[in-house]
Amino acid sequence: MKQPTVLIVEDEPAIAELIAVNLRHNGFQPTLALDGESAQREIDAMLPDLVLLDWMLPGASGLTLARRWRGDPRTKAVPIIMLTARGDEADRVAGLDAGADDYMAKPFSTKEMLARIRAVLRRRAPEQAAVTLEAGRLKLDTATHRVSFDEQLLKLGPTEFKLLHYLMSHAERVHSRGQLLDKVWGDHVFIEERTVDVHIKRLREALGGAAPMIETVRGAGYRLTTQTVATS
């Protein structure tokens, strides 16, 4: 079985090497980059299965790199976990908004790091069975990983795709943030409910004219409905 590759972007060599040692001992194949420029070279040479990305880096920050990679079709689907000493809610939200799939505040334990990496990789795993879902003029195809509205293709990130897949599979039902974390993220021991709001925001932005189909139900959660977008 192929060992998952992890690019560690961390400017403190001792921390980077410690992370690498723990990853090697747990079945991963790590590569180190000490700044944004070398990280970009590594990404250009070969796409890793996941990136552990420090926020504070010489030159381009981790936030800048995350936005750049999310904006590039080649690197858009690479999972990113942000590592940082900045643990406020505003910083976590900024990291998620920049495109990170998850966020770890330093210091963190090896067990937590491994659990988060495995959870993100599980979420990014391909769908097991090909399914085509339709909700009004919105269509999702798991075989091709494509979403369209009015026959126009939409660009969704991998987590937004899984979130939409779940909502379309259970249309018109209200789902709490906790339920969405459990069903979409799977193992949400280390993931906060605020994460759901960030990804719902991203999903609405990606859906464009279909965005009103994702309804916020005050005090309850979210639902996907076909009743807010008129058929024409």
Side-chain angles (χ1 to χ4, degrees), residues 106-120:
K106 298 175 182 178
F108 50 82
S109 70
T110 299
K111 285 184 179 180
E112 177 184 357
M113 176 185 72
L114 293 170
R116 287 178 182 270
I117 289 172
R118 288 168 179 149
V120 168

Side-chain angles (χ1 to χ4, degrees), residues 16-83:
E17 189 54 46
L18 180 61
I19 292 172
V21 167
N22 282 304
L23 288 177
R24 287 191 199 99
H25 287 169
N26 286 276
F28 295 91
Q29 185 178 335
T31 301
L32 303 184
L34 299 179
D35 54 41
E37 186 176 343
S38 56
Q40 187 63 55
R41 283 199 301 268
E42 294 290 346
I43 285 274
D44 290 342
M46 185 183 70
L47 287 180
D49 292 313
L50 181 139
V51 178
L52 291 176
L53 180 61
D54 190 22
W55 180 312
M56 304 299 290
L57 293 167
S61 70
L63 226 55
T64 299
L65 291 173
R67 292 193 184 102
R68 179 193 303 168
W69 294 338
R70 282 292 173 260
D72 184 339
R74 179 176 173 270
T75 53
K76 181 178 181 180
V78 176
I80 298 171
I81 298 179
M82 191 79 77
L83 310 178

